Amino acid sequence: MIDIRELVGRYVAVWNQPNAGLRRKAVAELWTEDGVQLLQPPQEIREAAAALGVTPVLEARGHEALEARVTRSYEKFVAPGEFFFRPRDNADRLADIVKFTWEMVPTDGGEPAGAGLEILVLGADGRIRTDYQFIEG
């Protein structure tokens, strides 16, 4: 039985992890080898795609791509010292599906600058097979 609070804590922690080796290890422990994150693109990309009659989805598949995705997010938001990610206390599980939301919070306090909804599909070993990420604000 998986403790979803512990899983969510590890998931959010990887996005704040400054050490590249520990980040790589955490990615391998969290996602299956063929795990995938599907990210809803920002609004401006969705609008441009809609004008072309398509619906875009951003995808990172496999440990190498997932590590690059996490690293890029860390470098853009956390490394400069402006923000950190934290989970909200709303994780829930139904069978092999886990859902929760997270916030991107200024390091000097204040209201969250962004948030997201995660829907995780877990494999039999408890690692993430599919990670659906929706950015909310």
Side-chain angles (χ1 to χ4, degrees), residues 33-56:
E33 290 80 10
D34 61 345
V36 62
Q37 183 187 58
L38 301 168
L39 172 65
Q40 182 184 43
Q43 184 64 32
E44 61 272 9
I45 293 175
R46 287 182 282 165
E47 289 171 1
L52 299 172
V54 295
T55 304

Side-chain angles (χ1 to χ4, degrees), residues 70-124:
V70 172
T71 297
R72 180 64 185 118
S73 179
Y74 171 80
E75 289 171 347
K76 182 173 182 176
F77 300 111
V78 179
E82 294 182 41
F83 300 103
F84 69 95
F85 296 102
R86 71 178 180 202
R88 291 183 179 158
D89 189 25
N90 65 350
D92 204 359
R93 181 179 182 174
L94 179 61
D96 62 346
I97 307 295
V98 173
K99 73 162 185 80
F100 66 95
T101 51
W102 51 265
E103 300 172 326
M104 185 175 73
V105 183
T107 55
D108 60 0
E111 293 297 311
L117 167 67
E118 298 295 321
I119 299 173
L120 309 177
V121 180
L122 304 180

